[in-house]
């Protein structure tokens, strides 16, 4: 065989081998590229999951902080209220069974109340005449400099039988109370006094004369009992 054809064949064969190796190498590189791309994608997904987890942790931490703040605020409010005066206004019988309606201002809190201001809407009304009504409203609207703990101020408002006999007299009042305590102004207290709840009570049903008669009857029975005991 001539040397030239043999050499050409050898070169051709070598070229095929090199081409095959290059193709194999290219396929491997492509596979490695795909694997690296998948790994990179997996890393991105993992990073995103970590970000989501971190955000959830931050949200949970913020919620815990909010709860802690609310608990702290509630504790501070409870502590403050435990050391604040508590001034209430009421309209009630002077004593149980009494015909007298009293307008009452009382400090039921544990500390001194200062600069107490009361507003009543509509103005208080009674069946005792204009002068008595004016004096009652003047007393109710007067600024009270100091109310010690447990102290009560009572003002005669009306007689139950006379008050409830007059349908023109207001029976529902809105009361607002402002005061200062050891730590400054306390929270404004606003509520409704509805005297209709007393309309069918003994305060309305009994007259002064009937109450006096009952007392006289009771005294008479006591005297009779004592007289029997002597015999």
């Amino acid at each position: 065989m001539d040397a030239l054809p043999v050499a050409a064949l050898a070169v051709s064969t070598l070229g095929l081998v090199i081409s095959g190796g290059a193709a194999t190498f290219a396929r491997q590189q492509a596979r490695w590229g795909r694997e690296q791309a998948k790994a990179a994608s997996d890393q991105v997904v993992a990073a995103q999951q970590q970000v989501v987890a971190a955000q959830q942790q931050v949200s949970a931490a913020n919620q815990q902080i909010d709860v802690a703040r609310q608990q702290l605020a509630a504790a501070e409010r409870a502590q403050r209220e435990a050391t604040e005066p508590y001034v209430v206004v009421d309209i009630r019988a002077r004593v149980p069974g009494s015909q007298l309606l009293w307008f009452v201002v009382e400090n039921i809190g544990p500390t001194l109340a200062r600069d107490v201001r009361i507003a009543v809407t509509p103005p208080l009304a009674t069946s005792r005449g204009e002068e008595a009504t004016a004096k009652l409203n003047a007393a109710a609207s007067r600024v009270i400099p100091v109310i010690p703990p447990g102290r009560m101020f009572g003002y005669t408002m009306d007689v139950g039988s006379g008050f409830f006999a007059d349908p023109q007299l207001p029976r529902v009042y809105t009361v607002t109370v402002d005061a200062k305590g050891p730590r400054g102004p306390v929270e404004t207290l606003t509520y409704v006094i509805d005297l209709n709840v007393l309309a069918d009570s003994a305060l309305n049903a009994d007259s002064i004369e009937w109450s006096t008669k009952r007392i006289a009857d009771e005294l008479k029975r006591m005297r009779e009992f004592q007289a029997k005991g002597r015999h």
Side-chain angles (χ1 to χ4, degrees):
M1 182 178 295
D2 293 337
L4 185 57
V6 172
L9 180 61
V11 170
S12 176
T13 302
L14 180 61
L16 291 173
V17 171
I18 293 174
S19 297
T24 301
F25 181 72
R27 286 194 296 272
Q28 290 177 345
Q29 283 188 325
R31 185 176 66 253
W32 292 339
R34 289 193 297 272
E35 292 175 352
Q36 288 178 346
K38 185 177 182 303
S41 177
D42 292 342
Q43 289 177 346
V44 169
V45 172
Q48 290 174 340
Q49 292 174 344
Q50 290 176 347
V51 169
V52 171
Q55 290 174 339
Q56 292 174 345
Q57 290 176 346
V58 170
S59 177
N62 288 334
Q63 291 177 352
Q64 291 177 345
I65 291 173
D66 289 341
V67 171
R69 286 175 176 170
Q70 292 173 1
Q71 291 175 342
L72 179 60
E76 290 177 346
R77 183 170 58 253
Q79 183 180 9
R80 183 177 65 253
E81 290 176 350
T83 59
E84 284 184 342
Y86 197 84
V87 179
V88 294
V89 173
D90 195 13
I91 300 173
R92 61 177 182 247
R94 184 178 183 277
V95 294
S98 172
Q99 268 284 306
L100 287 179
L101 272 175
W102 255 27
F103 180 84
V104 177
V105 181
E106 185 176 7
N107 180 10
I108 62 175
T111 55
L112 193 73
R114 296 181 293 107
D115 194 21
V116 179
R117 300 172 184 269
I118 298 167
V120 182
T121 306
L124 296 169
T126 78
S127 64
R128 299 170 60 226
E130 293 182 0
E131 183 177 355
T133 300
K135 289 182 178 180
L136 176 63
N137 281 285
S141 60
R142 183 183 301 117
V143 177
I144 304 176
V146 173
I147 306 181
R151 177 66 64 84
M152 180 188 73
F153 297 98
Y155 309 93
T156 299
M157 179 174 172
D158 211 329
V159 177
S161 55
F163 179 85
F164 291 108
D166 189 344
Q168 301 300 319
L169 297 178
R171 296 187 183 183
V172 179
Y173 296 94
T174 299
V175 177
T176 301
V177 182
D178 287 290
K180 294 180 181 177
R183 300 186 180 184
V186 300
E187 184 178 356
T188 298
L189 184 65
T190 301
Y191 56 95
V192 172
I193 297 176
D194 188 350
L195 295 179
N196 288 304
V197 298
L198 299 177
D200 298 323
S201 70
L203 183 67
N204 177 41
D206 293 343
S207 65
I208 295 178
E209 292 79 11
W210 177 244
S211 298
T212 304
K213 182 179 182 300
R214 286 194 303 173
I215 294 174
D217 291 343
E218 185 64 25
L219 290 173
K220 181 180 179 181
R221 283 194 296 269
M222 291 177 63
R223 286 196 298 268
E224 292 175 351
F225 179 79
Q226 292 173 351
K228 290 180 181 179
R230 294 192 188 101
H231 296 293

